[in-house]
Amino acid sequence: MKKTILILSCLALVIFISSFTKGKNNNSKNRIAAEVVSTVPTEEESIFLEYNNIPFVGKMYNGFREAIAFKESQGQYDIVNSYGYLGKYQFGRSTLERFNIYDTHRFLNTPKLQEQAFLALCSLNKWILRKDIERTVGKKIDGIKITESGILAAAHLAGAGNVKKFLRSNGDFYFSDAFGSSVRNYLKQFSGYDVSFIEADKKPEIKH
């Protein structure tokens, strides 16, 4: 009888210790998970992160810029294409000079500067196209539902002036780059992102 009681007591003790350890492990895992979540940057913080291998997804500004970056360069900061376009977003030299960026070597090696330049160009294009955005967003042109993000993406490809021509001609004006990407393609491919984060600015400045 005493032997049976001793065995049962030992079993109870093992179960108690096991449950305590399990609870401790779960708490530890939850704490680690909380720490991981807490390190995820806000949208404003992540704009200037100097990493090109973090997959920002979704339909907000980060998703928009990463989708364009993948289309332009597969997200590579240091790339120069055969036509001389530079970096993650494939900037032309004349566009960079508009923002007082003349040192292309530094530009290619400074991810933060590239992110600032992209945001600045979007802000400028949003200002140039503000009336067209107001008039055409939500309408269909040449079978494409027009969105603000589609307009800004097309402006990145073709320039704000060519996007104006497309919208104001009701789709009759055609533009494509040397690789065959067109205003029409970009309006469709990059539609539906929330780019309200981008502020229209006639003279956006970059601190560099």
Side-chain angles (χ1 to χ4, degrees):
M1 184 70 177
K2 289 181 179 179
K3 186 175 181 181
T4 302
I5 292 172
L6 181 62
I7 291 172
L8 291 173
S9 298
C10 289
L11 285 172
L13 183 61
V14 168
I15 292 169
F16 175 76
I17 294 171
S18 175
S19 64
F20 177 79
T21 304
K22 184 177 180 181
K24 186 176 180 181
N25 287 339
N26 284 339
N27 288 336
S28 177
K29 287 178 182 177
N30 289 337
R31 179 178 58 78
I32 292 169
E35 288 175 355
V36 170
V37 171
S38 71
T39 62
V40 175
T42 64
E43 183 153 16
E44 289 83 359
E45 290 170 340
S46 63
I47 290 169
F48 302 117
L49 284 176
E50 298 190 14
Y51 308 107
N52 68 338
N53 59 347
I54 299 177
F56 293 109
V57 295
K59 284 291 188 176
M60 301 296 283
Y61 172 73
N62 284 330
F64 172 71
R65 71 187 177 103
E66 293 302 318
I68 288 181
F70 186 80
K71 173 71 173 177
E72 295 291 327
S73 69
Q74 294 191 327
Q76 300 178 65
Y77 283 108
D78 59 352
I79 193 169
V80 180
N81 78 3
S82 55
Y83 294 94
Y85 287 87
L86 303 136
K88 183 178 177 181
Y89 302 102
Q90 293 293 276
F91 278 91
R93 285 176 170 78
S94 59
T95 301
L96 292 178
E97 289 171 3
R98 188 167 192 168
F99 299 117
N100 297 314
I101 299 172
Y102 300 96
D103 187 342
T104 56
H105 178 75
R106 178 172 175 266
F107 179 76
L108 287 170
N109 289 281
T110 312
K112 181 177 180 179
L113 184 56
Q114 294 191 36
E115 299 298 345
Q116 289 176 323
F118 178 74
L119 182 57
L121 182 59
C122 286
S123 295
L124 176 61
N125 285 334
K126 191 168 183 175
W127 186 85
I128 295 171
L129 292 161
R130 65 196 184 282
K131 293 181 181 178
D132 297 274
I133 289 171
E134 185 179 342
R135 281 194 295 257
T136 62
V137 166
K139 295 181 179 179
K140 278 196 171 183
I141 294 178
D142 196 20
I144 303 166
K145 185 176 181 180
I146 304 302
T147 66
E148 186 175 320
S149 61
I151 288 175
L152 293 182
H156 183 81
L157 170 76
N162 286 321
V163 176
K164 274 188 179 184
K165 291 176 183 177
F166 179 91
L167 296 174
R168 295 181 184 186
S169 69
N170 202 35
D172 288 338
F173 176 79
Y174 183 81
F175 174 92
S176 67
D177 69 5
F179 299 102
S181 296
S182 68
V183 166
R184 192 181 188 282
N185 295 151
Y186 271 49
L187 284 169
K188 186 175 182 179
Q189 183 174 348
F190 299 104
S191 67
Y193 288 90
D194 180 355
V195 291
S196 57
F197 173 81
I198 301 169
E199 296 182 4
D201 191 341
K202 185 178 181 179
K203 294 182 179 181
E205 294 183 358
I206 297 174
K207 294 180 181 180
H208 57 89

